[in-house]
Amino acid sequence: MKIDGVSYRSVWINEEDGWSVNIFDQTLFPFSRNILRLTTPDDVAHAIRSMQVRGAPLIGAVAAYGLALALRNNASDHALETQAAMLAATRPTAINLRWAIDRLLTHLRPLPEQERVKAAYAEAGKICDEDVAQNEAIGRHGLELIRDIASKRKNQSPVNILTHCNAGWIATVDWGTALAPIYMAHDEGLKVHVWVDETRPRNQGAALTAWELGGHGVPHTVIADNAGGHLMQHGQVDLVIVGTDRVTRTGDVANKIGTYLKALAARDNNVPFWVALPSTTIDWTVSDGVKEIPIEERSASEVTHIAGRTAKGEITSVQLVPDGSKAANPAFDVTPARLVTGLITERGCCPATTEGLRALFPEN
Protein backbone atom coordinates (compact mmCIF):
# COMPACT_ATOMS: atom_id res chain seq x y z
CA MET A 1 0.00 0.00 0.00
CA LYS A 2 1.03 3.63 -0.34
CA ILE A 3 1.41 6.67 1.90
CA ASP A 4 1.58 9.94 -0.03
CA GLY A 5 2.35 7.96 -3.16
CA VAL A 6 5.22 5.98 -1.60
CA SER A 7 4.87 2.21 -1.27
CA TYR A 8 5.38 0.75 2.19
CA ARG A 9 5.10 -2.47 4.09
CA SER A 10 4.34 -2.36 7.80
CA VAL A 11 7.71 -3.86 8.72
CA TRP A 12 10.98 -3.75 6.79
CA ILE A 13 14.73 -4.06 7.19
CA ASN A 14 16.51 -0.75 7.62
CA GLU A 15 18.23 -0.02 4.32
CA GLU A 16 21.10 1.93 5.88
CA ASP A 17 22.48 -0.80 8.14
CA GLY A 18 20.85 -3.90 6.61
CA TRP A 19 19.98 -5.54 9.94
CA SER A 20 17.79 -3.39 12.20
CA VAL A 21 14.01 -3.45 11.77
CA ASN A 22 11.73 -0.53 10.93
CA ILE A 23 8.07 -0.22 11.90
CA PHE A 24 5.53 2.58 12.17
CA ASP A 25 4.62 3.71 15.67
CA GLN A 26 0.91 2.98 15.41
CA THR A 27 0.14 4.65 18.74
CA LEU A 28 0.74 8.03 17.05
CA PHE A 29 -1.52 7.51 14.03
CA PRO A 30 -3.33 9.32 12.49
CA PHE A 31 -1.82 12.61 13.64
CA SER A 32 1.85 11.73 13.39
CA ARG A 33 3.76 9.24 11.27
CA ASN A 34 6.91 8.13 13.07
CA ILE A 35 9.15 5.30 11.94
CA LEU A 36 10.75 3.35 14.78
CA ARG A 37 14.07 1.55 14.42
CA LEU A 38 14.18 -1.65 16.47
CA THR A 39 17.64 -2.98 17.31
CA THR A 40 17.11 -5.45 20.16
CA PRO A 41 14.57 -8.12 21.15
CA ASP A 42 13.60 -5.88 24.07
CA ASP A 43 12.73 -3.13 21.57
CA VAL A 44 10.51 -5.60 19.75
CA ALA A 45 8.87 -6.84 22.95
CA HIS A 46 8.11 -3.27 24.04
CA ALA A 47 6.71 -2.39 20.61
CA ILE A 48 4.34 -5.37 20.77
CA ARG A 49 3.24 -4.87 24.39
CA SER A 50 2.67 -1.13 23.98
CA MET A 51 0.85 -1.67 20.65
CA GLN A 52 3.31 0.44 18.71
CA VAL A 53 2.92 -2.55 16.45
CA ARG A 54 -0.35 -4.52 16.50
CA GLY A 55 -2.55 -6.73 14.37
CA ALA A 56 -2.18 -10.50 14.65
CA PRO A 57 -0.30 -11.16 11.37
CA LEU A 58 2.03 -8.20 11.85
CA ILE A 59 2.82 -9.11 15.46
CA GLY A 60 3.98 -12.52 14.27
CA ALA A 61 6.19 -11.07 11.55
CA VAL A 62 7.79 -8.49 13.85
CA ALA A 63 8.36 -11.08 16.57
CA ALA A 64 10.16 -13.27 14.03
CA TYR A 65 12.53 -10.41 13.30
CA GLY A 66 12.87 -9.88 17.05
CA LEU A 67 14.30 -13.37 17.39
CA ALA A 68 16.73 -12.66 14.57
CA LEU A 69 17.88 -9.53 16.40
CA ALA A 70 18.35 -11.53 19.59
CA LEU A 71 20.60 -14.07 17.88
CA ARG A 72 22.95 -11.35 16.63
CA ASN A 73 24.38 -11.11 20.15
CA ASN A 74 24.04 -14.71 21.24
CA ALA A 75 23.01 -17.61 19.02
CA SER A 76 23.38 -20.36 21.61
CA ASP A 77 20.67 -22.90 22.31
CA HIS A 78 19.92 -21.28 25.67
CA ALA A 79 19.62 -17.80 24.16
CA LEU A 80 17.42 -19.11 21.35
CA GLU A 81 14.95 -20.74 23.73
CA THR A 82 14.98 -17.93 26.30
CA GLN A 83 14.48 -15.10 23.84
CA ALA A 84 11.79 -17.05 21.97
CA ALA A 85 9.86 -17.57 25.20
CA MET A 86 10.19 -13.89 26.11
CA LEU A 87 8.83 -12.73 22.75
CA ALA A 88 6.04 -15.31 22.71
CA ALA A 89 4.78 -14.03 26.07
CA THR A 90 4.34 -10.41 24.99
CA ARG A 91 0.65 -10.78 24.09
CA PRO A 92 -1.49 -13.85 24.84
CA THR A 93 -4.47 -13.80 22.49
CA ALA A 94 -3.08 -13.54 18.93
CA ILE A 95 -2.03 -17.02 17.79
CA ASN A 96 0.15 -15.70 14.94
CA LEU A 97 2.74 -14.62 17.50
CA ARG A 98 3.22 -18.11 18.89
CA TRP A 99 3.02 -19.60 15.39
CA ALA A 100 5.81 -17.40 14.03
CA ILE A 101 8.10 -18.07 17.00
CA ASP A 102 7.49 -21.82 16.79
CA ARG A 103 8.22 -21.77 13.07
CA LEU A 104 11.58 -20.09 13.65
CA LEU A 105 12.45 -22.45 16.48
CA THR A 106 11.73 -25.48 14.31
CA HIS A 107 13.89 -24.03 11.54
CA LEU A 108 16.77 -22.86 13.74
CA ARG A 109 17.21 -25.58 16.36
CA PRO A 110 18.97 -28.07 14.02
CA LEU A 111 21.40 -25.43 12.72
CA PRO A 112 24.87 -24.69 14.09
CA GLU A 113 25.13 -21.39 15.96
CA GLN A 114 27.13 -19.64 13.25
CA GLU A 115 24.33 -20.15 10.72
CA ARG A 116 21.38 -19.12 12.85
CA VAL A 117 21.40 -15.34 12.39
CA LYS A 118 21.35 -15.45 8.61
CA ALA A 119 18.76 -18.22 8.66
CA ALA A 120 16.55 -16.32 11.13
CA TYR A 121 16.49 -13.20 8.97
CA ALA A 122 15.72 -15.28 5.88
CA GLU A 123 12.86 -17.13 7.58
CA ALA A 124 11.39 -13.91 8.97
CA GLY A 125 11.51 -12.47 5.47
CA LYS A 126 9.67 -15.52 4.14
CA ILE A 127 6.98 -15.06 6.79
CA CYS A 128 6.51 -11.48 5.61
CA ASP A 129 6.35 -12.40 1.93
CA GLU A 130 3.91 -15.22 2.61
CA ASP A 131 1.70 -12.89 4.65
CA VAL A 132 1.50 -10.44 1.76
CA ALA A 133 0.56 -13.23 -0.67
CA GLN A 134 -2.03 -14.65 1.72
CA ASN A 135 -3.69 -11.31 2.30
CA GLU A 136 -3.83 -10.53 -1.40
CA ALA A 137 -5.56 -13.89 -1.92
CA ILE A 138 -7.98 -13.12 0.93
CA GLY A 139 -8.78 -9.89 -0.89
CA ARG A 140 -9.58 -11.71 -4.12
CA HIS A 141 -11.88 -14.20 -2.43
CA GLY A 142 -13.63 -11.56 -0.35
CA LEU A 143 -14.08 -9.40 -3.42
CA GLU A 144 -16.48 -11.99 -4.78
CA LEU A 145 -18.82 -11.37 -1.83
CA ILE A 146 -18.91 -7.65 -2.59
CA ARG A 147 -19.34 -8.25 -6.31
CA ASP A 148 -22.29 -10.51 -5.62
CA ILE A 149 -24.08 -7.87 -3.56
CA ALA A 150 -23.27 -5.14 -6.09
CA SER A 151 -24.61 -7.24 -8.98
CA LYS A 152 -28.03 -7.43 -7.33
CA ARG A 153 -28.34 -3.67 -6.95
CA LYS A 154 -31.16 -2.16 -9.00
CA ASN A 155 -29.73 1.30 -8.52
CA GLN A 156 -26.28 2.80 -8.23
CA SER A 157 -26.19 2.89 -4.43
CA PRO A 158 -22.94 1.71 -2.81
CA VAL A 159 -22.43 -1.56 -1.01
CA ASN A 160 -22.37 -0.62 2.67
CA ILE A 161 -19.82 -2.61 4.67
CA LEU A 162 -19.33 -2.40 8.43
CA THR A 163 -16.00 -3.29 10.01
CA HIS A 164 -14.67 -3.32 13.56
CA CYS A 165 -11.18 -2.46 14.84
CA ASN A 166 -8.42 -2.34 12.21
CA ALA A 167 -7.72 -5.27 9.92
CA GLY A 168 -6.07 -3.31 7.13
CA TRP A 169 -2.57 -3.21 5.74
CA ILE A 170 -1.17 -1.59 8.88
CA ALA A 171 -2.29 -4.66 10.87
CA THR A 172 -0.52 -7.05 8.51
CA VAL A 173 2.63 -6.83 6.41
CA ASP A 174 0.57 -5.51 3.50
CA TRP A 175 -2.98 -5.49 2.06
CA GLY A 176 -4.75 -6.41 5.29
CA THR A 177 -7.42 -9.04 5.88
CA ALA A 178 -10.88 -7.52 6.28
CA LEU A 179 -9.96 -4.41 4.31
CA ALA A 180 -8.24 -6.19 1.42
CA PRO A 181 -11.54 -7.06 -0.36
CA ILE A 182 -12.71 -3.47 0.13
CA TYR A 183 -9.56 -2.04 -1.43
CA MET A 184 -9.90 -4.39 -4.40
CA ALA A 185 -13.58 -3.56 -4.85
CA HIS A 186 -12.83 0.16 -4.80
CA ASP A 187 -9.94 -0.25 -7.25
CA GLU A 188 -12.21 -2.24 -9.55
CA GLY A 189 -14.67 0.61 -9.67
CA LEU A 190 -17.39 -0.89 -7.51
CA LYS A 191 -19.21 1.59 -5.33
CA VAL A 192 -18.47 0.81 -1.70
CA HIS A 193 -18.93 2.70 1.54
CA VAL A 194 -17.52 1.60 4.88
CA TRP A 195 -19.05 2.13 8.30
CA VAL A 196 -16.00 2.35 10.57
CA ASP A 197 -16.59 1.41 14.21
CA GLU A 198 -14.53 3.71 16.42
CA THR A 199 -13.49 0.63 18.43
CA ARG A 200 -13.16 1.84 21.99
CA PRO A 201 -11.12 1.88 24.08
CA ARG A 202 -8.04 2.21 21.84
CA ASN A 203 -9.99 3.57 18.87
CA GLN A 204 -8.18 1.57 16.19
CA GLY A 205 -11.13 2.05 13.86
CA ALA A 206 -11.29 5.81 14.23
CA ALA A 207 -7.53 6.26 14.19
CA LEU A 208 -6.22 3.54 11.87
CA THR A 209 -9.00 2.19 9.66
CA ALA A 210 -10.32 5.65 8.83
CA TRP A 211 -6.76 6.82 8.11
CA GLU A 212 -6.13 3.85 5.80
CA LEU A 213 -9.41 4.15 3.92
CA GLY A 214 -9.04 7.90 3.54
CA GLY A 215 -5.53 7.51 2.19
CA HIS A 216 -6.80 5.06 -0.42
CA GLY A 217 -9.81 7.18 -1.34
CA VAL A 218 -12.44 4.74 -0.06
CA PRO A 219 -15.66 6.50 1.09
CA HIS A 220 -16.21 5.87 4.79
CA THR A 221 -17.99 7.16 7.88
CA VAL A 222 -16.77 6.74 11.45
CA ILE A 223 -19.52 5.70 13.87
CA ALA A 224 -19.79 5.15 17.61
CA ASP A 225 -19.41 1.48 18.49
CA ASN A 226 -23.04 1.24 19.61
CA ALA A 227 -24.46 2.59 16.35
CA GLY A 228 -23.97 -0.55 14.25
CA GLY A 229 -27.12 -2.35 15.39
CA HIS A 230 -29.24 0.71 14.64
CA LEU A 231 -27.81 0.94 11.13
CA MET A 232 -28.49 -2.75 10.54
CA GLN A 233 -32.09 -2.38 11.72
CA HIS A 234 -32.62 0.32 9.10
CA GLY A 235 -31.10 -1.61 6.21
CA GLN A 236 -27.96 0.51 6.00
CA VAL A 237 -25.49 -2.36 6.32
CA ASP A 238 -25.19 -4.96 3.55
CA LEU A 239 -22.22 -6.87 4.89
CA VAL A 240 -20.00 -7.07 7.97
CA ILE A 241 -16.34 -8.04 7.52
CA VAL A 242 -13.95 -8.20 10.46
CA GLY A 243 -10.52 -9.63 11.10
CA THR A 244 -9.48 -11.94 13.92
CA ASP A 245 -6.62 -12.72 16.27
CA ARG A 246 -7.45 -16.40 16.67
CA VAL A 247 -9.91 -18.86 15.14
CA THR A 248 -10.58 -22.27 16.67
CA ARG A 249 -10.76 -25.44 14.62
CA THR A 250 -14.53 -25.30 15.14
CA GLY A 251 -14.87 -21.76 13.76
CA ASP A 252 -15.13 -19.65 16.92
CA VAL A 253 -13.53 -16.25 16.41
CA ALA A 254 -11.56 -14.09 18.87
CA ASN A 255 -11.40 -10.46 17.80
CA LYS A 256 -11.31 -6.98 19.30
CA ILE A 257 -13.78 -6.42 22.12
CA GLY A 258 -17.22 -5.56 20.73
CA THR A 259 -17.09 -7.95 17.78
CA TYR A 260 -19.46 -10.40 19.48
CA LEU A 261 -22.12 -7.70 19.85
CA LYS A 262 -21.84 -6.85 16.14
CA ALA A 263 -22.33 -10.51 15.27
CA LEU A 264 -25.46 -10.69 17.43
CA ALA A 265 -26.90 -7.61 15.76
CA ALA A 266 -26.02 -8.96 12.32
CA ARG A 267 -27.75 -12.27 13.04
CA ASP A 268 -30.87 -10.50 14.32
CA ASN A 269 -31.05 -8.42 11.15
CA ASN A 270 -30.02 -11.08 8.61
CA VAL A 271 -26.82 -9.25 7.71
CA PRO A 272 -23.98 -11.54 6.53
CA PHE A 273 -21.13 -11.60 9.06
CA TRP A 274 -17.80 -12.66 7.54
CA VAL A 275 -14.38 -13.02 9.14
CA ALA A 276 -11.19 -12.60 7.08
CA LEU A 277 -8.02 -14.40 8.16
CA PRO A 278 -4.85 -16.07 6.95
CA SER A 279 -4.54 -19.74 7.89
CA THR A 280 -1.78 -18.81 10.35
CA THR A 281 -4.54 -17.41 12.59
CA ILE A 282 -6.24 -20.81 12.97
CA ASP A 283 -5.48 -22.55 16.25
CA TRP A 284 -6.05 -26.21 15.48
CA THR A 285 -5.51 -27.17 19.14
CA VAL A 286 -8.56 -25.27 20.43
CA SER A 287 -12.21 -26.27 19.99
CA ASP A 288 -14.13 -24.02 22.41
CA GLY A 289 -13.11 -20.41 21.97
CA VAL A 290 -15.06 -19.01 24.91
CA LYS A 291 -13.53 -21.47 27.36
CA GLU A 292 -10.06 -21.95 25.92
CA ILE A 293 -8.80 -18.75 24.27
CA PRO A 294 -6.93 -16.52 26.75
CA ILE A 295 -8.32 -12.99 26.75
CA GLU A 296 -5.81 -10.24 27.34
CA GLU A 297 -6.72 -7.79 30.10
CA ARG A 298 -5.07 -4.47 29.29
CA SER A 299 -4.47 -1.40 31.43
CA ALA A 300 -7.51 0.32 32.92
CA SER A 301 -6.03 3.64 31.77
CA GLU A 302 -7.04 2.81 28.21
CA VAL A 303 -10.66 3.04 29.39
CA THR A 304 -10.34 5.89 31.86
CA HIS A 305 -8.39 8.14 29.48
CA ILE A 306 -8.45 8.94 25.80
CA ALA A 307 -5.83 10.47 23.51
CA GLY A 308 -6.53 13.03 20.82
CA ARG A 309 -5.46 16.26 19.16
CA THR A 310 -6.41 19.61 20.63
CA ALA A 311 -7.54 22.66 18.66
CA LYS A 312 -3.95 23.89 18.94
CA GLY A 313 -2.65 20.75 17.28
CA GLU A 314 -1.21 19.22 20.43
CA ILE A 315 -1.54 15.48 21.08
CA THR A 316 -2.71 14.92 24.63
CA SER A 317 -4.54 12.49 26.91
CA VAL A 318 -7.62 13.45 28.88
CA GLN A 319 -9.45 11.71 31.74
CA LEU A 320 -12.98 10.49 31.05
CA VAL A 321 -14.13 9.12 34.41
CA PRO A 322 -14.46 10.46 37.96
CA ASP A 323 -11.50 10.13 40.29
CA GLY A 324 -11.65 6.79 42.08
CA SER A 325 -13.76 4.96 39.48
CA LYS A 326 -12.36 1.57 38.53
CA ALA A 327 -12.28 0.30 34.96
CA ALA A 328 -12.03 -3.16 33.39
CA ASN A 329 -10.42 -3.61 30.01
CA PRO A 330 -10.77 -7.04 28.34
CA ALA A 331 -9.15 -6.50 24.95
CA PHE A 332 -10.96 -9.25 23.02
CA ASP A 333 -14.16 -11.24 22.96
CA VAL A 334 -15.11 -14.50 21.29
CA THR A 335 -17.84 -14.79 18.67
CA PRO A 336 -19.24 -18.36 18.56
CA ALA A 337 -19.14 -20.03 15.17
CA ARG A 338 -22.95 -20.20 15.02
CA LEU A 339 -23.02 -16.41 14.54
CA VAL A 340 -20.40 -16.38 11.77
CA THR A 341 -21.69 -16.59 8.18
CA GLY A 342 -18.32 -17.77 6.95
CA LEU A 343 -14.55 -17.40 6.91
CA ILE A 344 -12.51 -15.76 4.15
CA THR A 345 -9.08 -17.37 3.86
CA GLU A 346 -6.27 -17.39 1.31
CA ARG A 347 -7.65 -20.66 -0.08
CA GLY A 348 -11.23 -19.45 -0.41
CA CYS A 349 -14.37 -18.97 1.65
CA CYS A 350 -15.82 -21.65 3.89
CA PRO A 351 -18.40 -22.15 6.63
CA ALA A 352 -17.20 -21.48 10.18
CA THR A 353 -17.12 -25.18 11.00
CA THR A 354 -14.53 -27.89 11.50
CA GLU A 355 -15.67 -29.49 8.25
CA GLY A 356 -15.42 -26.21 6.36
CA LEU A 357 -11.90 -25.52 7.59
CA ARG A 358 -10.73 -29.10 7.01
CA ALA A 359 -12.00 -28.93 3.44
CA LEU A 360 -9.68 -26.00 2.73
CA PHE A 361 -6.80 -27.15 4.94
CA PRO A 362 -6.85 -30.97 4.92
CA GLU A 363 -3.19 -31.12 5.96
CA ASN A 364 -4.03 -29.93 9.50
Side-chain angles (χ1 to χ4, degrees):
M1 305 303 287
K2 294 183 178 180
I3 301 176
D4 299 331
V6 179
S7 295
Y8 284 96
R9 285 186 174 186
S10 297
V11 57
W12 68 100
I13 295 295
N14 186 292
E15 294 180 358
E16 294 182 4
D17 59 38
W19 63 267
S20 62
V21 179
N22 287 349
I23 62 168
F24 293 106
D25 184 349
Q26 296 191 35
T27 64
L28 300 180
F29 281 147
F31 306 120
S32 179
R33 189 169 71 242
N34 284 21
I35 294 175
L36 298 177
R37 177 173 173 261
L38 309 178
T39 62
T40 70
D42 289 337
D43 289 345
V44 172
H46 173 73
I48 294 173
R49 288 194 193 98
S50 66
M51 296 184 71
Q52 290 175 321
V53 62
R54 29 71 53 202
L58 183 58
I59 288 173
V62 174
Y65 275 123
L67 193 52
L69 291 173
L71 297 178
R72 284 176 54 83
N73 294 323
N74 185 345
S76 67
D77 289 349
H78 177 73
L80 176 64
E81 301 296 336
T82 301
Q83 294 298 310
M86 183 273 291
L87 289 165
T90 50
R91 294 194 69 189
T93 303
I95 192 63
N96 301 67
L97 173 60
R98 180 75 256 181
W99 168 85
I101 294 298
D102 285 347
R103 172 167 163 171
L104 257 69
L105 286 173
T106 299
H107 184 66
L108 298 173
R109 279 170 176 150
L111 300 179
E113 291 184 18
Q114 64 270 24
E115 296 180 12
R116 284 177 173 172
V117 174
K118 182 179 179 180
Y121 274 98
E123 196 66 15
K126 288 181 181 178
I127 287 174
C128 289
D129 291 341
E130 290 170 11
D131 183 69
V132 175
Q134 287 175 330
N135 292 328
E136 185 176 8
I138 288 168
R140 292 196 302 271
H141 294 302
L143 173 60
E144 295 301 323
L145 303 175
I146 302 174
R147 281 176 176 164
D148 182 61
I149 295 172
S151 69
K152 298 173 182 177
R153 283 280 194 268
K154 295 182 180 180
N155 52 35
Q156 296 298 312
S157 62
V159 176
N160 285 298
I161 304 166
L162 185 143
T163 192
H164 190 68
C165 195
N166 172 258
W169 74 270
I170 201 67
T172 65
V173 180
D174 205 350
W175 280 104
T177 55
L179 295 192
I182 296 170
Y183 288 135
M184 291 186 181
H186 174 77
D187 292 347
E188 189 176 273
L190 296 176
K191 288 187 176 181
V192 293
H193 168 264
V194 184
W195 295 110
V196 180
D197 281 355
E198 61 182 346
T199 322
R200 284 279 293 145
R202 290 195 62 92
N203 300 308
Q204 296 100 323
L208 302 177
T209 299
W211 172 77
E212 279 197 40
L213 294 172
H216 202 77
V218 179
H220 64 281
T221 304
V222 178
I223 58 173
D225 284 351
N226 289 329
H230 166 77
L231 295 172
M232 293 182 206
Q233 284 180 326
H234 291 270
Q236 297 183 65
V237 180
D238 300 300
L239 175 68
V240 179
I241 308 179
V242 300
T244 176
D245 288 75
R246 190 185 303 211
V247 173
T248 70
R249 67 172 180 265
T250 55
D252 296 340
V253 173
N255 193 48
K256 187 57 60 181
I257 194 75
T259 303
Y260 173 47
L261 298 180
K262 295 300 182 300
L264 287 170
R267 173 58 61 91
D268 193 50
N269 291 280
N270 297 313
V271 175
F273 183 94
W274 286 85
V275 179
L277 67 144
S279 56
T280 53
T281 305
I282 304 169
D283 187 344
W284 296 98
T285 69
V286 171
S287 60
D288 189 325
V290 175
K291 293 181 179 179
E292 298 179 71
I293 294 178
I295 300 299
E296 178 181 3
E297 181 77 23
R298 293 189 59 81
S299 170
S301 65
E302 294 180 355
V303 176
T304 61
H305 292 69
I306 192 169
R309 185 168 63 183
T310 69
K312 295 181 179 180
E314 300 170 340
I315 309 301
T316 189
S317 176
V318 297
Q319 184 172 321
L320 297 173
V321 304
D323 290 339
S325 290
K326 296 181 179 180
N329 187 15
F332 302 89
D333 58 26
V334 174
T335 300
R338 61 184 171 81
L339 298 176
V340 179
T341 303
L343 307 173
I344 311 169
T345 79
E346 72 268 22
R347 293 188 185 176
C349 298
C350 71
T353 62
T354 301
E355 295 74 20
L357 285 168
R358 293 289 186 194
L360 290 182
F361 303 99
E363 67 274 18
N364 290 287

